[in-house]
Amino acid sequence: MQVSVIILAAGQGSRMNSDLPKVLHPLAGAPLLHHAMRASISLAPDRTIVVVGHGAGAVTKAALSENPEALIVTQAEQLGTGHAVREALPALDGFTGKVIVLYGDTPFITPETLEKLAASPADVTVLGFHTDSRPKRYGRLVMEGETLLRIVEYKDATEAERAITLINSGVVACDAAVLATLVAGLKNNNAAGEYYLTDIPAAARARGLTATAVTCEEAETLGIDTRTGLAEAEAVFQARARREALENGVTLTAPDTVFFALDTWIGRDATIGPNVVFGPGVTVESGAEVKAFCHLEGCHISRGAVVGPFARLRPGAELAEDVHVGNFVEIKNAILGEGVKVGHLSYLGDADIGDFTNIGAGTVTCNYDGVMKHRTVIGKRAFIGSDTMLVAPVTIGDGALTGSGSVITDDVPPEAIAIGRARQVTKPGLAPKLFEKLKAIKAAKLKGQS
Ligand code: UD1
């Protein structure tokens, strides 16, 4: 059975009180929209259609960055979830199979639940959850045995219907041809004056088709409406990510202080110390160690590497096996070969560092001339003295050495020593004379003031 997915993401999310469209607010370092899109990947959808409206340009960009093949549909006016699906129908043209409708602001639906929906034999299948909390704003599923008679929106429900504990998550699965027919017939004669997607189970039954519900845990259907809800969702995500990392054989010495991104990947037997933050795009191989207080994004850490404490790896930082990055070191867009050591207080940006090179404390690649970025290339087994300024573009050959405190502006050939600093001058016995002179100046000044 082929599946296509429609993700509704046109709403403003006014309760977020934000200029940013709701689906672009980040959860675990990725827009909410990406979470919904990623959950549907396991269905290998024939088409992924994203309905955009508020902030259409930015939401389109975000959708295409996650899936360049996504089809974007614009819903110019937000006239309800049924209307949003109706606008998406032309993008389904020629598709025969099942369509699953998801919300862009509901990030925790699992692939297993989506597979359950896709496998349902009914013409219309709605995802529901049980709760005794009598939530406002959510629709109620009115069941008769296995049959879903209809969904009633909270605003339109009677007191008896509001007491129903089986709640509509909003997710629907429906045969494509059936969906087109049912959605075309929707009316907006309800309390909100909207075209409700939730009217399709009753419409299906009126045509002699079948409608049913499948259920999942309430936590999966958590939708985000407010900043508080977003913060709560972040906590839910982090708790799950920490549990999964531990189950996958990663040592977290203080799990509650480690923060993961949606796509963080950490190998078995890696060790992550306290207060480590993973931004998007980080991979850590088995057996690597990240010590306390590191901030990592867009980087790769190979087996045997040790990072931190207090290190910052920015996008494009590639650490080969057994690299050592120590405290107060920042690395950006730089490739560090096997066994490279950069132990203290350094900045390596736009650089290639050969295997087993040692970078002394306080080294800086001066990569920016105020207009353009330039690269620093250092060969294998080189020794960069402490406090070397490498003014890029510059190349240091294999086995070369730079003197401490050097400002290196010219290329250094392999095995050469380069020293670029003022020569030291030493004057024997001069220090006491200098102090006497300074004391006399100070005394004269004090006398002038009295
Ligand atoms: C909807 C359901 C309700 C369910 C609840 C679960 C309907 C009528 N009601 O209500 O039964 O319990 O979800 O969260 O479907 N959207 C558009 N275009 C529109 C309107 C909405 O794209 O014209 C998108 C929104 O951006 C959002 C999603 O659809 O991602 C849900 O819309 P929202 O207005 O939040 O629906 P609810 O009122 O929560």
Side-chain angles (χ1 to χ4, degrees):
M1 167 71 82
Q2 286 272 39
V3 175
S4 281
V5 174
I6 300 175
I7 301 177
L8 305 188
Q12 183 182 14
S14 48
R15 296 209 290 147
M16 295 296 281
N17 190 13
S18 172
D19 290 337
L20 192 66
K22 178 165 68 172
V23 293
L24 298 188
H25 279 264
L27 174 69
L32 282 173
L33 179 62
H34 286 191
H35 291 253
M37 291 177 78
R38 214 161 267 209
S40 67
I41 286 174
S42 67
L43 296 169
D46 184 71
R47 299 176 202 185
T48 297
I49 302 159
V50 182
V51 181
V52 303
H54 277 280
V59 177
T60 299
K61 203 169 153 204
L64 294 177
S65 79
E66 176 65 13
N67 177 0
E69 300 195 337
L71 302 170
I72 308 298
V73 168
T74 305
Q75 185 194 20
E77 262 191 295
Q78 281 70 59
L79 302 178
T81 48
H83 178 258
V85 171
R86 192 192 293 166
E87 298 288 274
L89 292 177
L92 281 173
D93 195 34
F95 173 74
T96 53
K98 199 156 261 194
V99 179
I100 297 188
V101 181
L102 299 172
Y103 292 170
D105 60 2
T106 305
F108 294 129
I109 300 275
T110 62
E112 295 71 30
T113 295
L114 293 181
E115 278 154 28
K116 211 159 74 175
L117 272 162
S120 169
D123 295 305
V124 177
T125 306
V126 170
L127 181 65
F129 61 93
H130 288 282
T131 179
D132 293 323
S133 64
R134 292 178 67 104
K136 291 186 179 164
R137 297 186 60 246
Y138 287 153
R140 288 357 190 208
L141 303 189
V142 184
M143 303 293 293
E144 190 177 80
E146 294 296 299
T147 301
L148 173 59
L149 296 180
R150 63 181 195 283
I151 304 176
V152 56
E153 287 302 300
Y154 187 82
K155 281 184 193 152
D156 304 300
T158 62
E159 266 316 303
E161 286 167 335
R162 286 178 178 180
I164 293 174
T165 55
L166 182 57
I167 310 296
N168 178 29
S169 74
V171 178
V172 179
C174 186
D175 172 78
V178 172
L179 185 69
T181 310
L182 298 180
V183 163
L186 288 177
K187 302 264 185 313
N188 65 348
N189 51 350
N190 51 53
E194 289 185 357
Y195 295 92
Y196 289 164
L197 183 62
T198 45
D199 283 345
I200 67 166
R205 291 198 56 258
R207 289 170 179 266
L209 300 168
T210 54
T212 192
V214 297
T215 57
C216 67
E217 292 294 316
E218 183 176 357
E220 271 190 56
T221 68
L222 185 73
I224 282 117
D225 289 319
T226 60
R227 305 269 184 172
T228 306
L230 183 63
E232 284 164 4
E234 185 74 41
V236 169
F237 178 93
Q238 296 302 339
R240 188 194 288 179
R242 289 164 190 149
R243 208 169 43 242
E244 280 173 10
L246 293 165
E247 281 164 9
N248 290 341
V250 177
T251 296
L252 303 177
T253 41
D256 289 347
T257 67
V258 177
F259 292 84
F260 295 95
L262 177 59
D263 59 358
T264 306
W265 187 90
I266 307 180
R268 200 164 155 249
D269 287 326
T271 299
I272 312 297
N275 295 296
V276 173
V277 176
F278 291 92
V282 179
T283 48
V284 180
E285 285 184 18
S286 294
E289 182 178 3
V290 179
K291 295 188 175 181
F293 294 100
C294 289
H295 191 281
L296 318 171
E297 55 189 320
C299 61
H300 176 75
I301 301 172
S302 299
R303 183 180 290 271
V306 179
V307 175
F310 298 102
R312 179 169 183 211
L313 302 187
R314 293 172 52 203
E318 293 277 336
L319 277 50
E321 290 188 15
D322 302 323
V323 162
H324 177 227
V325 172
N327 42 275
F328 307 111
V329 171
E330 174 181 343
I331 299 185
K332 182 218 68 167
N333 189 24
I335 299 169
L336 277 56
E338 185 184 344
V340 165
K341 287 190 168 49
V342 48
H344 337 262
L345 298 158
S346 292
Y347 170 63
L348 299 178
D350 303 306
D352 297 286
I353 320 284
D355 297 347
F356 305 108
T357 280
N358 189 90
I359 307 286
T363 294
V364 173
T365 54
C366 310
N367 55 334
Y368 186 48
D369 60 15
V371 180
M372 286 183 295
K373 298 276 172 68
H374 301 282
R375 223 164 164 83
T376 299
V377 179
I378 304 176
K380 296 179 181 175
R381 298 184 190 280
F383 184 91
I384 305 300
S386 292
D387 202 22
T388 297
M389 300 291 120
L390 297 155
V391 183
V394 70
T395 298
I396 313 291
D398 291 346
L401 181 152
T402 67
S404 297
S406 290
V407 178
I408 302 293
T409 53
D410 298 328
D411 289 352
V412 180
E415 301 189 352
I417 292 179
I419 303 171
R421 63 181 185 222
R423 186 171 283 278
Q424 181 173 326
V425 179
T426 307
K427 306 204 171 176
L430 203 62
K433 288 179 190 158
L434 180 65
F435 288 133
E436 285 310 316
K437 206 169 164 182
L438 290 173
K439 278 180 195 161
I441 292 170
K442 189 177 173 188
K445 266 194 177 170
L446 290 172
K447 203 172 167 192
Q449 284 166 9
S450 60

